Amino acid sequence: MARLHVRPGVDPDEPEVPVVTLRVDPDGAPGERAAARLGDHCYEGDGVLYLVRTDGWAEHALDGDRLTVGLAVYAAVLTRMGVDPAEFPDRSAADPGAVLILRAEAVVDPELYARAAPATALLVGAPDGTPEEGGDWPVLLAPAPGGEPTSGQ
């Protein structure tokens, strides 16, 4: 099961800035397996992988203290990864042309979340710790197109 956290200390360059992190199991449910493969479609930069927003993004919705994060990816990207987009019937709120491959929820501190970096860090097979402890590079996902995190959805 994907695990969602908001915590500082993830980015060694800005340890005081909280980061929304989503940890997935590469052998988990279909959405986790698809998310785990996103790194193959990223570009490298300074110890992280970047998924370009033209391929996918992370959608955030905060309702009180419950944060929901959805990973949206275009069907063409899934097809290139060898994943059947039909496995994922849910669509992105930001762009219905994108497929939601994974959704995770967690209770978070709204004040901590309000200070979080805009990108979401996707960690694959990492233990419950910082990305450095996981050994693999995190995948950074931009916020949804045209959007700041939403509240009350």
Side-chain angles (χ1 to χ4, degrees):
M1 169 184 256
R3 292 170 290 170
L4 178 63
H5 302 278
V6 178
R7 69 176 106 212
V10 175
D11 183 347
D13 294 331
E14 296 182 297
E16 72 286 352
V17 176
V19 175
V20 176
T21 60
L22 184 60
R23 289 182 171 79
V24 296
D25 180 352
D27 299 318
E32 288 187 82
R33 291 193 310 266
R37 296 175 64 188
L38 286 176
D40 296 341
H41 297 277
C42 294
Y43 67 91
E44 297 179 14
D46 295 332
V48 297
L49 300 170
Y50 295 97
L51 182 68
V52 295
R53 193 182 281 177
T54 55
D55 288 345
W57 56 85
E59 298 180 354
H60 294 192
L62 183 64
D63 186 5
D65 64 354
R66 179 156 300 275
L67 176 64
T68 302
V69 174
L71 298 187
V73 180
Y74 285 107
V77 173
L78 293 174
T79 300
R80 284 193 306 267
M81 292 174 17
V83 175
D84 182 1
E87 290 185 55
F88 306 101
D90 294 333
R91 298 290 180 236
S92 163
D95 181 349
V99 177
L100 279 180
I101 61 170
L102 183 66
R103 184 173 292 145
E105 292 185 358
V107 173
V108 300
D109 176 348
E111 291 179 18
L112 185 67
Y113 175 71
R115 296 186 296 113
T120 299
L122 174 65
L123 306 171
V124 178
D128 194 15
T130 64
E132 293 76 30
E133 293 172 9
D136 289 328
W137 286 9
V139 172
L140 294 185
L141 299 116
E148 293 295 318
T150 58
S151 297
Q153 291 186 359

